[in-house]
Amino acid sequence: MVHLVYCDDKEKVLEKIIDGTKTMIIRGAAGRKIPHSRVFEGETLYFMKKGTKKISTMATVAGVQNHVKLAENEIVKILEDNQSKLNLSDKQKKRWHKKCLCLVEFKDVREIDALEFHHQSNMDDWLIIEKIEDVVVGTSIPYNYNNSKFK
C-alpha cells in the first residue's frame, strides 16, 4: 500500500520534512484511527501540503510505533523521546497528546514532479491507497474506504 499524508501548512511540516529537520510523522486520537496499525516498514509515503492539492514529496517508511491506551506520563515520554525526529511545536505537542498514537519514521525523502490531487468528499488527512495514481487528477478512481477499515 501507499500512503498520502496531508501536511499542516501553518506549522510548515512539509518544509521541515524536505530540509531534514523532521524525519517522523505522528497521528493520534482517543481511539485507534488510521493509520494506526495500517502502515508498515518499506511502504511509500507521499506528502501534500494542506490546501495546495499538489502531491510534491515522497519517502520510504523506515519504522513504525503503534501505541494504545497510553497513560498521561506515557504520552509525554513518547513525545519527548521522539522529539528530535518529530520536531513538534508546543501547539503540535498539545494536538497530538492522545491515548492512541502512531509514529511513522521515514527515510529517502525526495521531491517529485508535482501531481495534481483529485480531492473527493469525506477524505481524511491520511489516505491508504493501492497506488498514488488512484488519487491523481486524470487517473483517479472513487476512493475505497476498505483500505482504511480495521480488520
Side-chain angles (χ1 to χ4, degrees):
M1 303 306 273
V2 300
H3 304 266
L4 178 59
V5 183
Y6 286 56
C7 298
D8 187 335
D9 52 330
K10 293 175 186 69
E11 293 285 349
K12 307 235 179 279
V13 170
L14 187 57
E15 290 84 347
K16 291 177 184 177
I17 290 169
I18 291 167
D19 73 19
T21 60
K22 182 176 193 63
T23 58
M24 181 181 274
I25 201 100
I26 186 170
R27 288 295 185 271
R32 281 192 339 151
K33 184 181 173 212
I34 293 304
H36 197 284
S37 307
R38 299 298 308 279
V39 58
F40 302 96
E41 192 173 328
E43 291 184 330
T44 301
L45 302 175
Y46 286 91
F47 298 103
M48 179 178 78
K49 186 190 282 194
K50 197 172 182 180
T52 65
K53 292 192 177 180
K54 299 276 187 216
I55 303 163
S56 61
T57 308
M58 64 188 292
T60 304
V61 176
V64 182
Q65 299 176 38
N66 291 297
H67 302 280
V68 292
K69 299 180 182 169
L70 293 168
E72 291 297 310
N73 62 325
E74 292 172 312
I75 298 168
V76 171
K77 182 168 177 16
I78 289 166
L79 293 178
E80 280 177 7
D81 289 351
N82 292 284
Q83 176 60 8
S84 64
K85 299 173 188 173
L86 289 166
N87 193 3
L88 298 175
S89 67
D90 288 341
K91 183 179 174 188
Q92 289 173 308
K93 287 177 192 171
K94 284 183 187 137
R95 176 181 180 192
W96 298 120
H97 191 91
K98 307 286 184 184
K99 292 187 181 299
C100 287
L101 293 174
C102 178
L103 291 84
V104 180
E105 190 170 1
F106 49 85
K107 62 183 180 181
D108 303 329
V109 174
R110 53 215 175 274
E111 292 186 74
I112 59 172
D113 291 336
L115 302 169
E116 188 74 28
F117 176 62
H118 179 207
H119 186 269
Q120 299 177 37
S121 62
N122 298 326
M123 286 185 158
D124 215 341
D125 70 348
W126 187 296
L127 304 180
I128 301 174
I129 50 183
E130 296 282 336
K131 57 189 185 303
I132 196 62
E133 290 79 14
D134 291 350
V135 294
V136 172
V137 169
T139 57
S140 67
I141 60 172
Y143 186 64
N144 179 351
Y145 286 92
N146 290 337
N147 293 331
S148 296
K149 291 188 171 111
F150 290 108
K151 297 186 173 43

